[in-house]
Amino acid sequence: MELEPIIGLEVHTQLLTKSKMFCLCDANYQIAEPNSKVCPVCMALPGSLPVINRQAIEFVIMTGLALNCSINEFTQFDRKNYAYPDLVKGYQISQYDFPVAYEGFLEIETDDQPHRIGITRAHLEEDVAKMQHNNDSTNGHTLIDLNRCGIPLMEIVSEPEISSPEQAREYLIKLQNIVRYLEVSTGDMEEGSFRCDANISLRPKGSKTLGTKVEIKNMNSFRSIHKALTFEIKRQTIAINNNEVIIQETRGWDEEKEITFSQRSKEFAHDYRYFPEPDLKPIKISKEHIENLKSSLPEMPQERRDRLIKNYNLSEYNAKLITSNKATADYFEACLTSHSSKSSQQIEIAKSIANWINTELAKLLNQTNTPIENIKISPKSLINLLNLIEKGTINSTQGKQVLEKMFDTGKSSEQIVEEENFSQISDLDSIRSIVKDIIVQHPDPVQDYANGKENAIGFLVGQVMKTSKGKADPKISKSLLIEEILSGTK
Amino acid sequence: MNILTDLTIHEAHKLLKERKISSVELTDAFLENIDHLESKIHAFISVTPEIARSAAIKADKKYQENSASTLTGIPMQIKDVISSKGIKTTCGSNMLKDYIPTYDATVLSRLLDEGAILLGKGNMDEFAMGSSTENSFFYPTANPWNLNRVPGGSSGGGAAAVASGESIFALGSDTGGSVRQPAALCGITGLKPTYGLVSRFGLIAFASSLDQIGPMTRDVEDCAIILNAIYGKDINDSTSLNVTPADYTQSLDENIKGLRIGLPKEYFAEGIQTEVRESVLKAAELFKQAGAIVEECSLPLTKYSLAVYYVLAPSEASANLARYDGVRYGVTPTNPKNAWESIESTRGMGFGKEVKRRIMLGTYALSSGYYDAYYVKALKVRSLIREEFTNVFKKYDALLTPTSPTVAFPIGLKTHDPVAMYMNDACTLAASIAGIPALSIPCGFHDGLPIGMQIITTYLQESTALKLGYTYQKMTDWHIQRPQL
């Protein structure tokens, strides 16, 4: 029996508001001393009351609009009751039947196929405390840091319309990019600002009914989400083929063992006893307010891609890569601004910048797992490097080496070229003497070229570059080689 | 008995202003009375003499500098459900017996800003759940008119303090009658304002959609003075109302001619003590003589108030009381095995019987499968009760009812019968459910025990209730009677 997976994703993303969701405490809690960003409200002292953060509501409306959602003109908060030591009030202020945004979609592409994934809803709630469990530094106790209490969390729930781990990853990457473009969240998974739970079930291909779903938690990277879903599909496939019953349960992802494991079965599921939060009045969101937010939405990835193609004649491929991450696109445009080119040259330079970012720079960032935001090479610095290549001070092979050193050290290209004696040899006499040696050393390729096998010249240029330790100007080397070979055959 | 402790706020303010007395003298008189009477009355959970004296010295300075307001130098008791910075706030519970808040409730800081003097914190039923103050973890409060009787509740400490001369006024909280019923049973004036008129920030929550703080005073004029000081929008309470500024003392005149008063017949039916019914009807007669139009009317849905209240209030309470896990405050067990054991024994030790009962009631009512039948149904009936009031107030400016079905009952009589205890609130619950104002003022005595009547008005019409109450007190002297102690 051929089975198909049905996946739905729940994403919790912390919002980049100035203050917390229901009090005036600083929401920038990550580097603060434990329990220093707190007040009676977020500590749940007796008698304290919540007050809604307007910016958080607006951020969810903006995200909702970017995800093609409808916005509820009447929205309200509810209490979600459950007991856990990290939940200080004993209930979480969340949203139940009137979320801020509902019924949208996100378009993704896998294997060159477009897919439209439905968005069920986007709502607001508050984050809980951080617990540090029993270890040496806590003296065997569990410690609680309340700084995270009350940080606004946006929950975005997808329809069960994702049919592979690849699609799940694409969906998340795209969603992450959207919250970053909107600047409503850092979207960082490692910091815990962007968290994902997955619901997954299998059913016979073509069937309309859903199988028993399993929820998977604690996946901390796109990679682990992909792996966890892949594992879970395999586990459930084997179980179904062995006629075992899939249990509705919550499973955790074990990053080290690369398996999912049972955490809680349905019998122990919470009854959250939702009811409307009596401490907060329902909110009416006017059509004008929604329209105003809509018209002030920042440029989204697709729009930016189209603009880059239109303005700089970038290839579809380059533009897509550049805009797939807001920070990369920002970097690209900052480079362009740093370049004091005439507009006639701009298309040329834009292409060159895009190529460098998408190949050499991307390689270095990937190898070192560095986000482009943390790069040591300023846009101005990259432009200076490209100028050195353009002027012929160094060749592009050297350029790649200089870039690597800039990436490691943060030094300017000029400094590296000078310190490491990188400058290109372009005087004819020096190159000609190397060229003559190479011709003597490699008679066969020389003969091949002379016989009309043009490819052979590439090898010989390579040899000149090698002998000159990459410093010879490859263009000059090539023309001198040709000149010398042709004059020798006369 | 010290004559200073018999003063009303407006009388004391006049004497202070004329420098006939000082705030220090006034404060000391009350502190002496507290010393003298507390062993009998138990109106306070904590007394704060040092804080009171140093505030009194400051108040006297204000009078010397002519920068005093009406409340400067006036001693008060604040119910122990209201957060007071640096001063133990127990909520009448073992759970919070050592809890010292880090912030003042909005009402308290407004009163302190006016220069009022905090004498201490008032005894109450644990977490404001009860009608007799017998649910206090610490001790029951005695009714100053008869020490074997209850003072009512849950703000029994406040009512007893004001009646006995242990404080000029008190702040109570009223969720289903907790200001009005003890005011009635102790022969004082008590107001539950419109829901949202007074900030709840710092009021330890029992049932958030019903809780309101209200003044407990010796007469209606004092009540208006306190309301002036505490009402109004608070940015820390989203449910507080943005009302146009008002001076409630401006409504205090005897011009009630043509005001239409309804006597809802359901409030005079079976279950109401004969003497109580007769006293209220006599008061109605007096209003008629003063020019008001008095007619019988009907509020048939009132009978559902008790059921609605005992679904909604415990439901909200079950969530409000979930924060008491012993981690940040509250009693904690020694050497618990793990977090769950710690939380469970904190709650086991910390909460009393009635509180546990209501948490269980509320948890049940909100549970999956029962939510629609209980909570949602109760919300629907709540809307109907509101609507019924809206309709009846198209015809009447005010409704006159008994505050409590009976006068104060003996201590211990109803402690083993929760439903009999709940019935004490039968007359006060509907106004709470509808969120409308209700004033209780003394209107007679039976067996040496005070009788109270309730004046209910529509949304934000406190001024009409105060005007009627003021007029009545001009015509009668029930409110100036003091118990012999």
Side-chain angles (χ1 to χ4, degrees):
Chain A
M1 177 168 50
E2 199 181 347
L3 297 166
E4 64 173 355
I6 303 292
I7 300 166
L9 297 175
E10 279 173 27
V11 169
H12 286 87
T13 181
Q14 289 181 333
L15 297 179
L16 272 175
T17 51
K18 284 193 191 73
S19 55
K20 291 189 182 181
M21 186 62 230
F22 297 114
C23 61
L24 289 174
C25 285
D26 191 351
N28 186 11
Y29 72 96
Q30 303 269 15
I31 49 160
E33 277 285 295
N35 298 310
S36 64
K37 305 275 186 191
V38 291
C39 75
V41 177
C42 57
M43 286 177 80
L45 293 191
S48 62
L49 296 170
V51 176
I52 297 168
N53 183 330
R54 183 188 174 94
Q55 196 179 34
I57 301 268
E58 294 188 338
F59 280 179
V60 181
I61 296 174
M62 286 161 65
T63 309
L65 291 171
L67 293 172
N68 311 294
C69 287
S70 303
I71 305 300
N72 254 321
E73 287 174 42
F74 174 96
T75 186
Q76 75 176 21
F77 286 91
D78 299 272
R79 291 187 182 177
K80 179 181 181 180
N81 297 285
Y82 66 94
Y84 206 73
D86 64 5
L87 185 69
V88 288
K89 290 194 292 294
Y91 57 87
Q92 181 188 36
I93 304 180
S94 180
Q95 297 195 284
Y96 190 57
D97 26 19
F98 298 98
V100 173
Y102 63 100
E103 286 177 11
F105 62 85
L106 179 60
E107 274 168 343
I108 60 166
E109 222 175 78
T110 47
D111 301 327
D112 291 327
Q113 291 293 313
H115 306 278
R116 177 177 281 202
I117 309 298
I119 304 286
T120 315
R121 58 191 276 155
H123 75 246
L124 260 176
E125 56 191 34
E126 53 180 341
D127 211 344
V128 296
K130 217 174 191 168
M131 300 212 291
Q132 195 184 334
H133 289 296
N134 187 357
N135 63 29
D136 292 342
S137 69
T138 69
N139 212 358
H141 292 100
T142 294
L143 302 182
I144 304 185
D145 177 5
L146 304 180
N147 286 350
R148 199 175 68 180
C149 283
I151 297 293
L153 271 187
M154 173 168 61
E155 179 173 335
I156 301 167
V157 182
S158 87
E159 288 290 311
E161 293 175 352
I162 296 166
S163 50
S164 69
E166 289 72 29
Q167 281 186 19
R169 185 170 53 195
E170 275 309 304
Y171 169 88
L172 291 169
I173 289 173
K174 202 132 189 218
L175 192 59
Q176 181 191 49
N177 204 25
I178 284 172
V179 297
R180 285 177 170 172
Y181 265 77
L182 292 169
E183 295 181 339
V184 299
S185 174
T186 63
D188 285 335
M189 288 195 92
E190 278 170 23
E191 282 175 17
S193 301
F194 192 88
R195 307 168 211 158
C196 176
D197 301 331
N199 284 304
I200 173 165
S201 62
L202 262 55
R203 68 179 175 195
K205 200 157 191 168
S207 162
K208 290 287 166 217
T209 51
L210 290 168
T212 308
K213 73 171 179 185
V214 166
E215 187 179 17
I216 315 174
K217 287 179 178 287
N218 348 322
M219 301 164 290
N220 298 320
S221 66
F222 292 142
R223 201 174 140 265
S224 57
I225 287 161
H226 190 273
K227 280 191 168 177
L229 289 172
T230 309
F231 175 88
E232 192 56 24
I233 291 168
K234 209 166 134 194
R235 185 187 74 85
Q236 290 189 26
T237 305
I238 292 169
I240 292 168
N241 287 336
N242 288 340
N243 290 323
E244 288 166 27
V245 178
I246 301 291
I247 303 161
Q248 184 172 342
E249 60 181 348
T250 300
R251 296 177 73 86
W253 169 245
D254 186 324
E255 187 73 53
E256 272 175 32
K257 293 186 194 150
E258 301 197 336
I259 55 164
T260 64
F261 59 94
S262 180
Q263 281 186 321
R264 189 172 71 209
S265 74
K266 197 197 168 196
E267 292 89 275
F268 299 100
H270 291 296
D271 175 2
Y272 290 119
R273 306 190 305 278
Y274 280 101
F275 72 100
E277 168 56 275
D279 286 332
L280 297 169
K281 288 183 178 170
I283 304 169
K284 285 185 184 129
I285 305 171
S286 71
K287 284 200 173 74
E288 293 94 300
H289 195 167
I290 297 169
E291 280 309 312
N292 285 343
L293 287 170
K294 201 176 212 165
S295 60
S296 64
L297 279 185
E299 193 180 40
M300 297 310 288
Q302 185 62 49
E303 293 169 297
R304 197 165 191 179
R305 186 196 301 187
D306 295 345
R307 178 170 61 81
L308 295 186
I309 293 170
K310 185 165 166 263
N311 291 3
Y312 307 114
N313 207 18
L314 282 194
S315 68
E316 180 81 33
Y317 175 80
N318 260 342
K320 192 176 159 188
L321 279 183
I322 290 283
T323 55
S324 65
N325 176 342
K326 178 171 188 289
T328 308
D330 288 346
Y331 189 85
F332 169 78
E333 297 212 69
C335 287
L336 269 177
T337 323
S338 307
H339 192 266
S340 52
S341 60
K342 295 187 204 102
S343 55
S344 60
Q345 295 173 299
Q346 227 176 12
I347 286 176
E348 196 65 26
I349 189 73
K351 184 181 171 190
S352 167
I353 294 168
N355 285 336
W356 277 85
I357 290 176
N358 287 340
T359 53
E360 297 310 317
L361 209 54
K363 196 172 81 193
L364 294 169
L365 291 167
N366 281 341
Q367 279 166 0
T368 55
N369 204 10
T370 311
I372 195 163
E373 295 92 315
N374 300 348
I375 196 169
K376 289 180 190 156
I377 306 170
S378 71
K380 179 84 195 149
S381 231
L382 183 68
I383 291 299
N384 288 344
L385 172 67
L386 299 192
N387 284 341
L388 288 181
I389 297 166
E390 177 73 13
K391 278 190 291 186
T393 313
I394 53 173
N395 59 48
S396 59
T397 314
Q398 290 174 312
K400 289 171 192 170
Q401 294 163 10
V402 173
L403 185 78
E404 207 174 317
K405 299 219 183 303
M406 290 166 74
F407 186 84
D408 290 339
T409 63
K411 289 180 183 170
S412 73
S413 49
E414 292 89 340
Q415 196 182 351
I416 290 166
V417 166
E418 199 189 308
E419 281 176 8
E420 316 231 348
N421 197 16
F422 253 120
S423 52
Q424 179 167 254
I425 304 171
S426 27
D427 79 288
L428 295 183
D429 290 346
S430 311
I431 298 176
R432 195 182 295 275
S433 90
I434 300 170
V435 162
K436 282 182 172 165
D437 288 348
I438 295 299
I439 289 175
V440 172
Q441 285 162 24
H442 301 283
D444 291 351
V446 170
Q447 196 54 49
D448 287 349
Y449 183 76
N451 290 342
K453 214 174 159 193
E454 293 200 355
N455 284 347
I457 200 75
F459 170 80
L460 294 167
V461 173
Q463 293 305 310
V464 174
M465 296 305 291
K466 197 174 164 189
T467 310
S468 68
K469 294 188 177 115
K471 289 183 190 174
D473 183 320
K475 277 185 206 151
I476 298 175
S477 305
K478 187 179 172 187
S479 60
L480 286 182
L481 272 167
I482 294 168
E483 193 185 313
E484 287 293 323
I485 293 169
L486 293 181
S487 72
T489 56
K490 275 180 193 158
Chain B
M1 191 58 141
N2 190 319
I3 194 74
L4 285 181
T5 56
D6 276 347
L7 296 171
T8 61
I9 297 170
H10 50 97
E11 288 163 354
H13 174 64
K14 193 161 173 278
L15 294 173
L16 285 164
K17 215 172 149 189
E18 291 165 355
R19 311 281 161 75
K20 292 204 172 127
I21 58 167
S22 71
S23 173
V24 171
E25 282 173 284
L26 186 66
T27 303
D28 279 341
F30 278 101
L31 290 172
E32 266 169 47
N33 233 11
I34 291 170
D35 265 353
H36 174 61
L37 294 172
E38 256 314 85
S39 59
K40 288 193 261 183
I41 307 280
H42 293 303
F44 285 78
I45 289 175
S46 39
V47 183
T48 53
E50 294 82 14
I51 292 169
R53 285 205 186 90
S54 76
I57 292 167
K58 278 186 202 152
D60 283 332
K61 231 178 235 156
K62 278 194 178 173
Y63 276 102
Q64 279 152 25
E65 292 161 358
N66 276 323
S67 60
S69 72
T70 318
L71 287 177
T72 307
I74 302 294
M76 62 179 174
Q77 188 218 58
I78 301 292
K79 188 178 181 181
D80 218 16
V81 69
I82 295 171
S83 188
S84 48
K85 186 176 179 177
I87 300 166
K88 224 166 55 174
T89 300
T90 67
C91 225
S93 178
N94 185 32
M95 180 66 82
L96 294 176
K97 67 172 190 286
D98 299 314
Y99 168 62
I100 298 176
T102 56
Y103 74 105
D104 276 332
T106 301
V107 283
L108 180 55
S109 53
R110 284 181 181 175
L111 290 169
L112 293 175
D113 286 349
E114 295 269 321
I117 313 289
L118 181 66
L119 294 170
K121 305 293 296 286
N123 198 14
M124 56 184 283
D125 285 302
E126 183 180 6
F127 283 98
M129 296 175 184
S131 309
S132 67
T133 318
E134 291 165 291
N135 293 338
S136 166
F137 166 73
F138 301 92
Y139 27 71
T141 298
N143 190 315
W145 294 92
N146 179 339
L147 299 178
N148 297 318
R149 301 275 170 148
V150 301
S154 64
S155 311
V162 174
S164 67
E166 291 184 88
S167 182
I168 295 194
F169 79 94
L171 276 193
S173 69
D174 188 314
T175 305
S178 282
V179 161
R180 293 161 283 160
Q181 184 256 12
L185 269 46
C186 290
I188 66 159
T189 298
L191 173 72
K192 182 204 87 74
T194 301
Y195 181 79
L197 185 63
V198 178
S199 165
R200 290 185 296 119
F201 188 72
L203 170 68
I204 299 180
F206 159 19
S208 312
S209 77
L210 297 156
D211 295 343
Q212 261 298 281
I213 291 170
M216 306 181 83
T217 58
R218 288 175 171 170
D219 65 14
V220 170
E221 187 171 347
D222 280 6
C223 192
I225 291 169
I226 300 306
L227 189 59
N228 273 350
I230 60 172
Y231 87 96
K233 182 72 188 168
D234 175 11
I235 51 159
N236 290 320
D237 176 1
S238 313
T239 61
S240 70
L241 298 169
N242 215 344
V243 290
T244 41
D247 176 357
Y248 290 98
T249 61
Q250 292 293 309
S251 55
L252 303 179
D253 59 44
E254 292 158 72
N255 182 18
I256 65 161
K257 216 168 162 159
L259 278 186
R260 299 158 304 170
I261 300 172
L263 300 174
K265 63 178 184 204
E266 292 78 7
Y267 287 78
F268 295 88
E270 208 185 326
I272 306 293
Q273 214 171 7
T274 314
E275 293 78 8
V276 170
R277 183 191 300 128
E278 282 169 1
S279 292
V280 180
L281 291 174
K282 266 184 207 156
E285 236 3 85
L286 273 182
F287 280 126
K288 211 186 256 177
Q289 285 166 26
I293 301 155
V294 181
E295 283 172 15
E296 191 183 88
C297 66
S298 176
L299 289 167
L301 293 179
T302 286
K303 62 173 177 286
Y304 298 111
S305 301
L306 196 81
V308 168
Y309 181 84
Y310 278 98
V311 171
L312 293 184
S315 293
E316 293 179 17
S318 73
N320 282 330
L321 272 62
R323 68 186 58 196
Y324 302 100
D325 56 12
V327 176
R328 287 138 294 139
Y329 42 79
V331 288
T332 43
T334 41
N335 297 322
K337 278 204 230 58
N338 55 45
W340 296 113
E341 194 188 288
S342 173
I343 292 170
E344 278 164 23
S345 63
T346 287
R347 296 170 71 79
M349 300 188 292
F351 291 138
K353 224 168 153 184
E354 183 59 26
V355 172
K356 285 177 185 163
R357 177 166 23 241
R358 297 203 195 183
I359 292 173
M360 285 189 283
L361 277 174
T363 305
Y364 181 81
L366 290 174
S367 296
S368 139
Y370 299 99
Y371 181 78
D372 289 334
Y374 292 102
Y375 187 81
V376 173
K377 188 84 159 194
L379 279 187
K380 285 180 184 163
V381 181
R382 182 181 199 167
S383 311
L384 293 176
I385 290 173
R386 277 200 185 119
E387 210 178 286
E388 184 172 270
F389 273 114
T390 307
N391 286 332
V392 85
F393 281 121
K394 282 177 189 158
K395 239 182 129 187
Y396 300 101
D397 299 298
L399 302 172
L400 187 66
T401 77
T403 306
S404 167
T406 64
V407 294
F409 49 89
I411 291 173
L413 182 71
K414 300 181 182 178
T415 41
H416 298 293
D417 187 351
V419 176
M421 191 68 96
Y422 296 169
M423 291 305 290
N424 287 300
D425 299 329
C427 300
T428 47
L429 291 171
S432 291
I433 288 165
I436 54 180
L439 175 73
S440 177
I441 56 174
C443 67
F445 282 90
H446 171 58
D447 272 352
L449 292 164
I451 297 170
M453 67 178 182
Q454 178 176 234
I455 303 169
I456 307 172
T457 54
T458 193
Y459 193 68
L460 289 176
Q461 290 307 306
E462 277 76 4
S463 50
T464 305
L466 292 169
K467 181 199 277 283
L468 285 165
Y470 181 80
T471 305
Y472 182 76
Q473 290 188 340
K474 284 287 171 193
M475 299 187 284
T476 58
D477 64 358
W478 309 113
H479 62 291
I480 54 174
Q481 309 286 324
R482 298 283 181 264
Q484 295 297 312
L485 283 160

